[in-house]
Amino acid sequence: MESISGPNIIDLIDCKTLPHEASPNFSYVVMLFPYYEQGTLLGVVHRMNSAGRRFSEVDALQMFRSICQAVQVLHTHDPVWAHRDILAR
């Protein structure tokens, strides 16, 4: 599988397609990404909320811009790369 990179794209270490045991017409795609000790952005937000802290407006806008730049890299790649929903849960 071809790799994609950018300043706000998580490196893909490896991936593999595995057949579905019960449904021969389906398969699984397993992807291996680096481990990040600080966890996800959502985890950071939860920890900050628990501590009564919030991101500044400037920090929030910088993070939003970084996310938009990463999505732009995916959408302008040839061929276009798909991504899952980007949600704030």
Side-chain angles (χ1 to χ4, degrees):
M1 177 180 263
E2 179 187 353
S3 184
I4 191 168
S5 63
N8 302 305
I9 304 285
I10 297 173
D11 294 328
L12 175 63
I13 296 171
D14 198 6
C15 66
K16 186 171 186 164
T17 304
L18 303 172
H20 189 285
E21 296 95 20
S23 301
N25 295 331
F26 294 95
S27 58
Y28 296 104
V29 176
V30 180
M31 296 182 283
L32 179 63
F33 294 98
Y35 172 74
Y36 289 94
E37 261 186 66
Q38 293 182 340
T40 65
L41 176 57
L42 182 60
V44 172
V45 169
H46 285 307
R47 287 192 299 276
M48 288 181 72
N49 281 340
S50 295
R53 296 175 41 219
R54 302 275 189 266
F55 286 112
S56 70
E57 186 175 312
V58 170
D59 288 341
L61 287 172
Q62 287 174 340
M63 284 184 275
F64 180 69
R65 182 173 186 220
S66 295
I67 292 167
C68 290
Q69 289 170 334
V71 170
Q72 182 182 23
V73 169
L74 297 174
H75 288 186
T76 58
H77 189 269
D78 186 23
V80 173
W81 280 53
H83 57 82
R84 295 203 49 169
D85 291 340
I86 300 172
L87 304 171
R89 296 181 189 228

